[in-house]
């Protein structure tokens, strides 16, 4: 992807009034435009943690006690700090920014960082892209400062300490030299120590020999300096891993009709299928992102059990998923961007049809599993996988059918025991959990049963095979676990049962007990 190569460009967003913006967006500004402060408990005192623009203009800076703030402005509006709500709001802003680039991450408690490498041409250039983001966020009620530079640290410093919007490539050092030392992102104690040493700006620090500074103020100071000056690029980690492939469609007028949304998803499926074919890949996990005009993002994922690049099948899976949503897709004022991405891909080669037509059956089963998983959720569609245990009730487990039905199962799956050709199955199709106790009679204590009573009905046995002895798993059940002798038996009516005797006669138990564990037919 072009997003992952070439000279890097980063856009930093800073929200200096995020907590107060959140409160004002929720409740609206007070009729008389009174100043607003947010309080946090520091020790035993309530202090101002955040203040809006009006409060700061009146001298209500963070750090003041509540008593001092009310003494200066008696009618100030007070709210408690809610860090969780602030973080959730910032996360929603980051999700909204995903429409500009998939490489978006949070930047501290009040910032968002976008890797816009290779994306700016879609929005008319860096300045136009920055202006659009700032304008739209401002329309949504946010106060934001933004800057674009060649490293995240340089972009962050320029956004927070200047009004310069775009730093030309290679000009990071000139842009940040006049900035205060706090722009390096260091703690207040070191900022004060640098100021006492006469190093109040980045230029003053950059012009000094670095070895003595590192010895006195810490090696990380020099690392931060190099990153802010643009000498070292320290890429950020996006909150969401970038997709392998993606296609999207933008609309000048937001889309709200269900028919138009379905048609758009089908068209995007065709575009994504072409990309997958060009790369020789098939998708296993897909995600459709619906960006609403009011900033809300809805993401809907589907999965396939085998590599998939058929646009019709992919569109049908999304149709099934959208129809089955417990929380229906609400366009609100409409979607202005719809994106379809392949999150996980595998190499996929053309398949040659078999003469017996079994490939069509395999594809039909795989398609059925995909559709059921899309409609009911993957966790509701299960299959059985063999386990390494001779105890019947532990010899299998249930796994998601969609996770590994391609190619007959996962590489970690064990092979099921198979009966010889022409022989009856080794295990019954139906097992009882737990095994049901029965009254059985045998000619000799260690011999097969000749009669048993189950659910008040007596079954006379005409044929029996066994015993198949299964030793106990003492490491799971303890040293007192009992041996089982299994018999496949058939009664006069032709019904076949799977019985076992628990406990060896007089060696483990004086009178062994009989159980019915399964039915063959």
């Amino acid at each position: 992807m072009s997003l992952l190569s070439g000279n890097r460009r980063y856009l930093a967003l800073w929200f200096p009034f995020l907590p107060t913006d959140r409160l004002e967006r929720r409740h609206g500004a007070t009729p008389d435009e009174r100043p607003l402060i947010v309080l946090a408990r520091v020790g035993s005192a309530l202090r101002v943690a955040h203040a809006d623009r009006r409060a700061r203009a009146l001298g209500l800076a963070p750090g003041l006690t509540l008593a001092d703030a009310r003494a200066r402005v008696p009618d100030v509006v007070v709210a408690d700090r809610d860090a969780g709500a602030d973080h959730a709001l910032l996360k929603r802003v980051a999700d909204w920014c995903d429409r500009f680039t998939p490489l978006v991450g949070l930047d501290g408690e009040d910032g968002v960082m976008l890797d816009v490498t290779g994306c700016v041409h879609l929005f008319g250039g860096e300045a136009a892209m920055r202006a659009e983001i700032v304008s739209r966020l401002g329309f949504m009620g946010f106060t934001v400062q933004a800057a674009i530079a060649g490293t995240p640290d340089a972009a962050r410093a320029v956004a927070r300490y200047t009004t310069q919007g775009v730093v030309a490539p290679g000009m990071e050092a000139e842009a940040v030299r006049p900035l205060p030392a706090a722009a390096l992102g260091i703690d207040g104690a070191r900022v004060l120590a640098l100021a006492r040493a006469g190093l109040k700006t980045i230029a003053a620090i950059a012009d000094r020999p670095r070895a003595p500074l590192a010895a006195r103020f810490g090696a990380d100071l020099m690392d931060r300096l190099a990153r802010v000056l643009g000498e070292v690029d320290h890429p950020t980690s996006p909150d969401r891993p970038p997709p392998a492939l993606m296609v999207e469609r933008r609309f000048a007028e937001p889309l709200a009709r269900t028919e138009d949304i379905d048609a758009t998803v089908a068209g995007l499926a065709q575009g994504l299928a072409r990309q997958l074919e060009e790369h020789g890949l098939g998708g296993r996990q897909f995600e459709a992102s619906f960006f609403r005009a009011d900033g809300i993002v809805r993401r809907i994922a589907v999965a396939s059990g085998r590599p998939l690049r058929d646009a019709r099948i992919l569109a049908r899976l999304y149709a099934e998923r959208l129809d089955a949503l417990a929380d229906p897709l609400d366009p609100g004022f409409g979607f202005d961007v719809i994106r379809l991405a392949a999150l996980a891909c595998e190499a996929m080669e053309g398949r040659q049809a078999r003469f017996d037509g079994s490939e069509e059956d395999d594809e039909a089963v795989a398609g059925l599993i995909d559709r059921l998983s899309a409609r009911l959720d993957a966790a509701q569609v299960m299959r059985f996988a063999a386990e390494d245990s001779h105890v019947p009730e532990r010899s299998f487990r249930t796994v998601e059918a969609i996770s590994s039905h391609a190619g007959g199962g996962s590489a970690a799956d064990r092979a099921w025991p198979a009966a010889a050709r022409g022989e009856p199955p080794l295990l019954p199709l139906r097992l009882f959990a737990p095994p049901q106790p029965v009254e059985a009679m045998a000619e000799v204590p260690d011999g097969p049963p000749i009669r048993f009573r189950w659910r008040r009905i007596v079954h006379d046995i005409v044929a029996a095979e066994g015993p198949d002895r299964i030793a106990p798993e003492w490491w799971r059940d303890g040293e007192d676990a009992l041996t089982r002798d299994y018999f496949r038996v058939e009664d006069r009516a032709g019904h076949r049962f799977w019985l076992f005797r628990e406990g060896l006669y007089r060696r483990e138990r004086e009178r062994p007990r009989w159980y019915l564990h399964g039915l063959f037919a």
Side-chain angles (χ1 to χ4, degrees):
M1 295 178 60
S2 60
L3 293 174
L4 302 179
S5 61
N7 295 326
R8 316 302 299 178
R9 298 293 285 172
Y10 299 91
L11 190 153
L13 299 176
W14 179 44
F15 301 88
F17 304 104
L18 180 67
T20 55
D21 286 346
R22 175 180 62 83
L23 294 170
E24 291 173 356
R25 288 175 75 248
R26 182 197 299 175
H27 304 294
T30 54
D32 54 351
E33 298 294 329
R34 290 181 296 166
L36 171 65
I37 59 175
V38 177
L39 301 178
R41 183 169 294 278
V42 180
S44 59
L46 286 175
R47 295 185 178 274
V48 177
H50 302 279
D52 68 1
R53 193 183 300 274
R54 295 182 298 273
R56 294 202 180 199
L58 295 173
L60 303 184
L64 279 178
T65 64
L66 176 59
D68 289 340
R70 281 182 169 160
R72 297 184 184 188
V73 184
D75 62 342
V76 64
V77 179
V78 176
D80 291 329
R81 183 182 182 186
D82 189 343
D86 294 339
H87 178 80
L89 177 60
L90 192 64
K91 192 78 171 69
R92 289 197 296 272
V93 172
D95 288 341
W96 177 85
C97 291
D98 193 49
R99 69 184 61 213
F100 297 97
T101 170
L103 303 178
V104 182
L106 299 184
D107 187 26
E109 297 181 352
D110 53 4
V112 176
M113 187 68 66
L114 290 71
D115 186 339
V116 297
T117 308
C119 299
V120 294
H121 68 282
L122 300 174
F123 305 93
E126 292 181 347
M129 181 183 191
R130 173 188 173 275
E132 179 179 351
I133 293 175
V134 171
S135 174
R136 296 183 67 170
L137 287 172
F139 181 77
M140 289 189 283
F142 292 101
T143 302
V144 59
Q145 294 181 210
I148 298 178
T151 66
D153 298 74
R156 181 186 304 112
V158 172
R160 297 182 181 228
Y161 291 91
T162 75
T163 58
Q164 183 177 356
V166 178
V167 178
M171 301 299 293
E172 288 79 13
E174 287 75 6
V176 302
R177 283 179 64 87
L179 303 185
L184 295 173
I186 56 179
D187 56 89
R190 280 196 289 180
V191 171
L192 181 60
L194 287 168
R196 288 173 175 172
L199 305 175
K200 297 182 179 181
T201 65
I202 292 179
I205 299 172
D207 292 340
R208 292 293 184 92
R210 298 193 179 183
L213 290 176
R216 181 174 178 182
F217 298 103
D220 67 309
L221 177 66
M222 298 298 99
D223 180 58
R224 291 175 181 270
L225 178 64
R227 283 151 46 182
V228 168
L229 293 174
E231 300 172 354
V232 177
D233 183 11
H234 185 74
T236 59
S237 298
D239 289 344
R240 295 166 50 83
L245 296 169
M246 73 176 189
V247 291
E248 67 181 20
R249 187 166 296 173
R250 299 174 179 272
F251 308 97
E253 293 293 334
L255 223 61
R257 295 176 64 245
T258 302
E259 297 81 0
D260 296 336
I261 295 171
D262 292 341
T264 300
V265 172
L268 292 175
Q270 294 179 358
L272 186 60
R274 287 193 293 269
Q275 288 193 19
L276 289 168
E277 186 173 4
E278 291 172 0
H279 290 81
L281 300 174
R284 291 290 299 272
Q285 296 180 8
F286 301 89
E287 182 182 72
S289 301
F290 301 86
F291 297 84
R292 277 182 19 178
D294 60 358
I296 296 176
V297 183
R298 183 76 182 273
R299 305 183 193 276
I300 299 175
V302 298
S304 175
R306 79 274 195 213
L308 173 65
R309 64 177 180 221
D310 189 317
R312 293 175 301 173
I313 296 177
L314 181 56
R316 188 165 66 233
L317 288 179
Y318 264 103
E320 295 275 359
R321 187 77 180 111
L322 292 174
D323 288 342
L325 287 176
D327 181 15
L329 190 65
D330 180 14
F333 294 105
F335 299 115
D336 53 6
V337 179
I338 298 179
R339 175 183 297 163
L340 183 60
L343 303 182
C345 298
E346 294 180 3
M348 181 179 179
E349 299 179 356
R351 297 180 180 177
Q352 184 174 359
R354 306 187 200 127
F355 287 111
D356 60 2
S358 59
E359 183 167 348
E360 295 184 2
D361 296 337
D362 293 344
E363 289 294 324
V365 172
L368 175 63
I369 292 175
D370 288 346
R371 292 195 301 274
L372 290 175
S373 299
R375 176 166 288 275
L376 304 176
D377 191 71
Q380 305 300 322
V381 185
M382 312 297 289
R383 69 174 180 87
F384 292 107
E387 281 284 357
D388 185 16
S389 177
H390 293 291
V391 178
E393 58 266 31
R394 295 174 180 163
S395 63
F396 63 91
R397 58 189 170 95
T398 56
V399 297
E400 292 183 4
I402 200 170
S403 64
S404 53
H405 71 257
S410 167
D413 283 352
R414 298 178 58 83
W416 289 98
R421 183 180 295 274
E423 293 294 323
L426 298 176
L427 298 177
L429 297 178
R430 178 180 178 185
L431 290 180
F432 292 113
Q436 299 191 9
V438 297
E439 299 175 7
M441 179 185 299
E443 292 183 342
V444 295
D446 290 334
I450 59 174
R451 184 181 297 108
F452 71 95
R453 182 194 300 271
W454 176 49
R455 293 180 178 175
R456 299 182 180 181
I457 298 176
V458 177
H459 297 268
D460 291 323
I461 297 173
V462 298
E465 288 184 322
D468 295 326
R469 179 161 294 177
I470 297 180
E473 295 181 341
W474 52 266
W475 58 94
R476 292 183 178 179
D477 302 323
E479 297 181 356
D480 297 333
L482 303 176
T483 304
R484 296 180 183 181
D485 283 342
Y486 277 87
F487 296 88
R488 290 181 289 177
V489 301
E490 181 179 337
D491 67 2
R492 293 185 184 278
H495 300 142
R496 295 180 178 178
F497 306 90
W498 205 36
L499 300 171
F500 72 86
R501 181 176 52 229
E502 186 179 52
L504 300 178
Y505 179 64
R506 288 190 175 177
R507 282 181 285 175
E508 295 180 346
R509 175 175 284 176
E510 186 65 26
R511 295 189 60 183
R513 296 176 181 174
W514 287 88
Y515 295 89
L516 175 62
H517 205 168
L519 303 176
F520 285 96

